[in-house]
């Protein structure tokens, strides 16, 4: 920092003493490193004091440990968040400046000999033996986590672990930046005639985008609201091919090539796992999750694959036959860029159903209002828009109150794509509140997405898939917002990752229920609900090509697990070819030689752990959500008592008990393994 930047230092730094009302309107990249340096020093001082607990007694030892990094965590989350939603060279530099420092601190925290000794000493005290079940679980999981993070390592092994964690933080951040930059860098300008077949709303939006850049025609990008409808509806096969190929090359261009980074990440993760006493990274990650091991997770995915593959082959045979009927036997074979287009044609022919016909009934504001009304009925909460500084003009802010009128949470939303914003949809937590001696402190979270944006005077009209995504992310948000766990590190979404998707995925079920849709699905011009015949066609088409959708997810999960369990990153085999060949067995058409989806696979490689060796958890949790929603379906989708039971057993409990116990508490039994295949029509 320099003398010309006084606002970034001292008490005037808005990232210091961050309270519930985060001053996003004042936070700048230059504040990040100064604030983190200050917080690291403060937290280190608290750590040293805590490590001397044996000298001062153990009163509140675990409570102090639980909140030790609270302010540092919040500021770290804010900086990483702002680099994700308003990325710039300055924000990226700010993030990279703090990454080695925070990575080193968090690693050394688990390796601190004094703290580890104090923790083990506390575990032997009468106080520890008298802890209530939640705090006893906190103690056990903390000791387990310290061991998993290397507390028993000595000397050179500790130093090597620190180096591994620091490098993993750096290289995964570089991976993420390459994906964001390359996605943002791509643009293609085409005349109107090349967009024949593409919905008018997309044509209008891409024309306005071109005009904003001072160009003629239409500006096409790789953002989902453009890419997906072009691949699905454009009659111009060469255009579909060009866009598909451009998207498939993200993460492979010179200066932004992620392929060598992947091998390094795989090497670093395996070395870290083996240093800590695990066979591989999957066993390290899954030790404390429901699956338990990489072998069990692989068996879970391969069992689903085997049971789904006959329907997958049948669906693809039917699509190829349909294609030949439409274009003749002399036509070229289907390629990857043809599948979405011809699948949509087949669906329209089989069910007379076009998902675009639903969009007018899903204006974003109406979807949110309906979502909030559904959760009021089911979970007894009230959501209201409020005011707070945001990081972009499109950001909105809301409060959540429970049935007693208590303010339990607030959250931000940021729904539309920008070139400076990473792709996908996600929920995150800024502040974890919960029960306190003086009452309840509210939680603070966020939801982000890349949905179809408004266009001129036309509001944002969502696809049915985008509606499901909004409901999904709000399920995560509710898991955070409704947590009543007193221990911060066991609160909200701090659960095993193969359980964390249950609250999010179960929310998607309401999107397909007539009673729920009638609360919010209204035509943005006429106010009419979805016509019954359109709803009937939607339900009839619900499981169209369900096996292909499932196999796509299996391909991600199995590629992830295979890379982390069976592939040797120190060997001669090419990891990109290995992944492509594996994914090809789940694809309805051949994949080109250059195909390297893993080079843009942010879920796996954009953070030191992330969903690495854990992508299977989406399907694992889908089994749970399909089964758990059966209780709502039986007792009533708006049944308040069922909703209360779900809050009491799942949404409010965080990681305060074993997830399998929480599930049994809600359902009265273990999960029905066939529930997902049955819902998808695959049994």
């Amino acid at each position: 920092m320099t003398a010309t930047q006084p606002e970034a230092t001292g008490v005037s730094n808005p990232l210091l003493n961050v309270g519930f009302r985060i001053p996003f309107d004042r936070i700048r990249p230059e504040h990040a490193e100064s604030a983190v340096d200050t917080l690291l020093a403060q937290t280190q001082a608290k750590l040293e004091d805590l490590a001397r607990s044996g000298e001062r007694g153990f009163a509140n030892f675990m409570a102090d440990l639980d909140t030790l990094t609270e302010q540092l965590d919040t500021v770290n989350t804010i900086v990483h968040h702002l680099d994700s939603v308003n990325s710039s060279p300055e924000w990226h530099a700010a993030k990279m400046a703090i990454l080695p420092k925070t990575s080193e601190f968090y690693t050394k925290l688990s390796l601190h000999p004094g703290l580890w000794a104090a923790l083990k000493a506390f575990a032997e005290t009468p106080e520890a033996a008298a802890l209530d079940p939640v705090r006893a679980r906190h103690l056990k999981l903390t000791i387990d986590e310290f061991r998993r993070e290397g507390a028993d390592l000595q000397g050179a092994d500790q130093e090597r672990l620190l180096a591994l964690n620091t490098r993993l933080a750096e290289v995964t951040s570089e991976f993420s930046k390459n994906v964001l930059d390359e996605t943002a860098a791509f643009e293609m300008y085409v005349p109107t005639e090349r967009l024949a077949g593409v919905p008018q709303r997309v044509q209008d939006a891409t024309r306005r985008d071109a005009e904003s850049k001072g160009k003629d025609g239409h500006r096409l990008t790789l953002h989902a609201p453009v890419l997906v409808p072009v691949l699905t509806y454009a009659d111009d096969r060469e255009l579909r091919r060009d866009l598909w190929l451009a998207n498939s090359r993200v993460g492979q261009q010179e200066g932004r090539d992620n392929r060598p980074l992947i091998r390094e990440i795989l090497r670093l993760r395996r070395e870290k796992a083996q240093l800590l006493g695990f066979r591989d990274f999957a066993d390290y990650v899954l030790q404390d999750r429901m699956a338990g091991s990489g072998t069990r997770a692989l068996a879970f995915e391969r069992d689903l694959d085997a049971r789904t593959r006959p329907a997958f082959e049948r669906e693809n045979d039917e699509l190829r036959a349909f294609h030949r009927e439409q274009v003749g036997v002399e036509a070229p074979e289907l390629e990857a860029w043809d599948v979405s287009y011809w699948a949509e044609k087949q669906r329209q022919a089989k069910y007379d159903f076009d998902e675009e016909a639903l969009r007018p009934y899903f204006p974003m504001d109406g979807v949110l209002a309906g979502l909030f009304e559904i959760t009021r009925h089911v979970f007894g909460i009230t959501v209201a828009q409020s005011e707070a500084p945001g990081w972009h003009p499109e950001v909105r802010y809301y409060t959540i109150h429970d049935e007693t009128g208590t303010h339990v949470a607030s959250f931000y939303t940021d729904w539309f794509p920008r070139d400076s914003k990473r792709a996908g949809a996600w929920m995150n937590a800024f502040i974890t509140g919960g029960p306190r001696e003086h009452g309840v402190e509210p939680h603070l979270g966020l939801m982000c997405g890349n949905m179809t944006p408004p266009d001129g005077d036309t509001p944002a009209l969502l696809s049915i898939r985008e509606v499901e995504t909004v409901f999904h992310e709000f399920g995560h948000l509710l898991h955070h917002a409704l947590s009543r766990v007193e221990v911060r590190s066991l609160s909200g979404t701090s659960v095993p990752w193969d359980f964390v998707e249950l609250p999010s995925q179960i929310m998607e079920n309401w999107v397909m229920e007539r009673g729920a849709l009638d609360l919010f699905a209204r035509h943005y011009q006429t106010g009419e609900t979805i016509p019954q015949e359109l709803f009937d066609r939607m339900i009839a088409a619900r499981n169209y090509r369900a096996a292909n959708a499932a196999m796509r997810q299996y391909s991600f999960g199995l590629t992830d697990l295979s890379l982390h369990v069976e592939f040797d990153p120190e060997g001669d085999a090419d990891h990109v070819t290995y992944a492509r060949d594996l994914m090809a067995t789940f694809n309805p058409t051949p994949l080109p030689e250059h195909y390297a989806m893993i080079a843009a696979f942010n879920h796996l490689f954009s953070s030191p752990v992330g969903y690495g060796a854990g992508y299977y958890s989406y399907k694992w949790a889908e089994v749970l959500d399909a089964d758990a929603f059966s209780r709502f379906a039986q007792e009533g989708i708006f049944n308040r008592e069922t909703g209360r039971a779900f809050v009491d057993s799942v949404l409010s409990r965080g990681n305060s008990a074993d997830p399998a116990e929480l599930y049994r508490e809600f359902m009265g039994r273990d999960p029905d393994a066939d529930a997902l295949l049955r819902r998808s029509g695959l049994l």
Side-chain angles (χ1 to χ4, degrees):
M1 307 307 296
T2 68
T4 60
Q5 296 172 322
E7 73 282 5
T9 60
V11 294
S12 62
N13 188 329
L15 281 174
L16 290 176
N17 303 310
V18 171
F20 193 79
R21 188 178 177 86
I22 300 175
F24 282 112
D25 53 339
R26 295 193 292 118
I27 298 171
R28 302 289 179 267
E30 58 266 22
H31 296 131
E33 188 172 11
S34 170
V36 167
D37 286 346
T38 299
L39 290 169
L40 282 170
Q42 292 174 355
T43 310
Q44 186 68 42
K46 293 178 186 175
L47 168 59
E48 299 303 332
D49 186 51
L50 194 59
R52 291 191 293 271
S53 289
E55 301 169 16
R56 63 177 175 83
F58 281 108
N60 301 318
F61 176 78
M62 290 304 296
D64 290 344
L65 180 59
D66 185 44
T67 59
L68 176 67
T69 63
E70 190 166 13
Q71 275 284 315
L72 180 63
D73 295 344
T74 296
V75 170
N76 198 37
T77 298
I78 290 170
V79 174
H80 281 73
H81 168 72
L82 289 173
D83 184 52
S84 293
V85 293
N86 279 335
S87 187
S88 65
E90 294 77 17
W91 267 118
H92 183 69
K95 184 180 78 170
M96 295 307 293
I98 71 169
L99 253 178
K101 300 178 182 184
T102 54
S103 177
E104 178 180 7
F105 175 82
Y106 286 121
T107 298
K108 284 187 172 179
L109 177 64
S110 300
L111 301 176
H112 194 291
L115 184 60
W116 180 224
L119 181 61
K120 290 187 290 186
F122 173 72
E124 299 299 321
T125 64
E127 278 181 277
L131 290 173
D132 63 71
V134 173
R135 288 175 174 80
R137 178 172 173 81
H138 178 217
L139 175 59
K140 177 188 181 302
L141 293 180
T142 301
I143 289 174
D144 291 348
E145 183 65 14
F146 266 64
R147 287 201 170 101
R148 277 169 42 79
E149 294 304 317
D152 287 329
L153 295 181
Q154 302 294 324
D157 286 343
Q158 276 200 7
E159 291 303 313
R160 182 56 186 158
L161 181 64
L162 175 60
L164 289 169
N165 284 346
T166 300
R167 181 56 186 157
L168 268 170
E170 292 171 345
V171 73
T172 53
S173 181
E174 185 179 350
F175 181 100
S176 178
K177 182 178 187 296
N178 286 343
V179 175
L180 190 151
D181 288 351
E182 196 163 316
T183 303
F186 177 86
E187 60 180 8
M188 176 192 295
Y189 291 90
V190 298
T192 300
E193 56 267 25
R194 295 201 69 186
L195 292 183
V198 175
Q200 190 61 45
R201 61 169 184 83
V202 180
Q203 295 193 35
D204 293 342
T206 53
R207 185 182 62 253
R208 292 179 200 272
D209 195 11
E211 290 172 354
S212 73
K213 304 290 184 182
K215 299 290 184 69
D216 296 328
H218 301 259
R219 180 177 183 255
L220 305 185
T221 67
L222 299 179
H223 296 307
V226 174
L227 178 69
V228 173
V230 172
L231 292 179
T232 306
Y233 295 102
D235 296 330
D236 186 332
R237 187 173 189 244
E238 289 303 306
L239 176 61
R240 298 198 309 268
R241 176 182 180 275
D242 291 346
L243 266 190
W244 190 94
L245 289 174
N247 190 58
S248 72
R249 290 192 173 103
V250 171
Q252 301 179 57
Q253 303 303 307
E254 186 177 354
R256 303 187 186 114
D257 193 346
N258 278 337
R259 289 170 294 184
L261 301 186
I262 294 170
R263 185 180 284 273
E264 182 179 3
I265 292 168
L266 292 173
R267 278 200 199 109
L268 293 168
R269 285 175 171 174
R270 176 165 289 196
E271 183 182 351
K272 175 179 175 176
Q274 293 178 345
L275 183 64
L276 293 168
F278 295 88
R279 183 186 64 178
D280 52 51
F281 185 70
D283 278 0
Y284 163 72
V285 167
L286 302 185
Q287 182 194 40
D288 64 345
R289 299 188 186 178
M290 295 182 80
S293 69
T295 301
R296 188 178 177 205
L298 273 168
F300 167 76
E301 288 273 13
R302 285 174 173 154
D303 176 63
L304 287 175
D305 170 14
R307 298 170 73 187
T308 307
R309 193 162 287 275
F312 172 71
E313 301 291 355
R314 184 170 62 252
E315 287 176 0
N316 293 324
D317 287 344
E318 291 173 356
L319 183 63
R320 283 188 286 269
F322 174 79
H323 175 244
R324 285 193 296 271
E325 289 171 9
Q326 301 301 307
V327 299
V329 293
E330 301 301 323
E333 289 294 313
L334 286 173
E335 299 279 4
W337 44 89
D338 298 320
V339 173
S340 293
Y341 178 79
W342 284 105
E344 181 59 24
K345 295 289 188 191
Q346 185 188 34
R347 175 166 58 179
Q348 292 182 28
K350 288 183 71 170
Y351 303 104
D352 189 24
F353 175 64
D354 178 359
E355 283 192 353
E356 286 294 306
L358 290 170
R359 277 189 191 269
Y361 298 92
F362 295 133
M364 171 63 87
D365 288 346
V367 169
L368 290 175
L371 169 60
F372 301 155
E373 183 67 4
I374 289 167
T375 50
R376 184 182 70 82
H377 282 291
V378 181
F379 303 128
I381 62 169
T382 301
V383 182
Q385 191 167 339
S386 188
E387 294 293 331
W391 52 86
H392 188 274
E394 292 173 348
V395 172
R396 298 291 178 266
Y397 180 76
Y398 301 84
T399 58
I400 300 178
H401 290 77
D402 66 14
E403 284 177 308
T404 70
T406 301
H407 176 206
V408 295
S410 293
F411 63 95
Y412 304 85
T413 63
D414 182 357
W415 289 121
F416 305 121
R418 296 186 292 274
D419 287 344
S420 60
K421 182 181 178 185
R422 74 174 173 91
W426 66 96
M427 171 268 162
N428 208 345
F430 285 128
I431 293 174
T432 298
R436 301 291 186 264
E437 287 184 11
H438 58 273
V440 174
E441 289 187 0
H443 305 278
L444 184 64
L446 67 107
M447 293 190 291
C448 287
N450 284 271
M451 312 303 179
T452 302
D455 181 32
D457 295 331
T458 304
L461 300 177
L462 306 189
S463 71
I464 188 74
R465 305 301 164 208
E466 289 174 325
V467 175
E468 288 176 334
T469 299
V470 172
F471 274 61
H472 178 106
E473 299 307 331
F474 195 62
H476 282 312
L477 195 283
L478 287 176
H479 201 187
H480 176 62
L482 300 185
S483 181
R484 303 183 200 132
V485 182
E486 293 182 8
V487 179
R488 172 178 169 266
S489 56
L490 299 182
S491 182
T493 59
S494 300
V495 300
W497 278 36
D498 43 13
F499 189 69
V500 78
E501 296 296 335
L502 168 60
S504 57
Q505 290 178 182
I506 198 171
M507 287 301 303
E508 297 180 35
N509 288 276
W510 274 269
V511 176
M512 288 291 172
E513 295 289 335
R514 178 85 227 197
L517 286 170
D518 283 349
L519 287 178
F520 70 93
R522 296 182 179 275
H523 197 286
Y524 79 102
Q525 291 171 316
T526 68
E528 295 177 355
T529 58
I530 296 175
Q532 186 62 39
E533 49 86 21
L534 178 56
F535 174 79
D536 291 342
R537 296 202 306 272
M538 178 183 78
I539 295 301
R542 179 182 186 181
N543 286 328
Y544 169 68
R545 288 180 67 78
N548 270 264
M551 294 292 266
R552 180 176 182 269
Q553 288 297 100
Y554 305 160
S555 77
F556 297 157
L558 277 167
T559 299
D560 168 30
L561 286 165
S562 298
L563 284 169
H564 286 106
V565 175
E566 297 174 337
F567 179 78
D568 180 9
E570 301 290 350
D572 296 330
D574 179 65
H575 54 294
V576 176
T577 303
Y578 177 89
R580 185 188 66 235
D581 291 348
L582 180 55
M583 285 188 162
T585 66
F586 294 87
N587 211 66
T589 59
L591 294 173
E593 284 296 310
H594 78 269
Y595 185 81
M597 179 270 178
I598 59 169
F601 205 165
N602 267 330
H603 271 74
L604 299 195
F605 300 117
S606 66
S607 68
V609 178
Y611 273 87
Y615 199 90
Y616 77 92
S617 62
Y618 281 106
K619 280 295 169 188
W620 186 283
E622 248 188 284
V623 171
L624 302 183
D625 99 69
D627 188 37
F629 189 74
S630 68
R631 179 174 171 187
F632 283 98
Q634 182 177 356
E635 298 175 4
I637 63 169
F638 296 126
N639 188 306
R640 182 70 188 90
E641 292 310 309
T642 312
R644 182 174 286 109
F646 192 69
V647 172
D648 291 345
S649 297
V650 178
L651 293 181
S652 69
R653 300 279 289 279
N655 197 20
S656 61
D658 185 286
E661 290 180 20
L662 297 180
Y663 190 87
R664 282 192 292 270
E665 184 178 307
F666 177 66
M667 289 298 290
R669 56 169 174 75
D670 286 328
D672 175 0
D674 289 339
L676 173 59
L677 295 177
R678 190 161 50 244
R679 183 177 68 185
S680 301
L682 297 175
L683 276 184

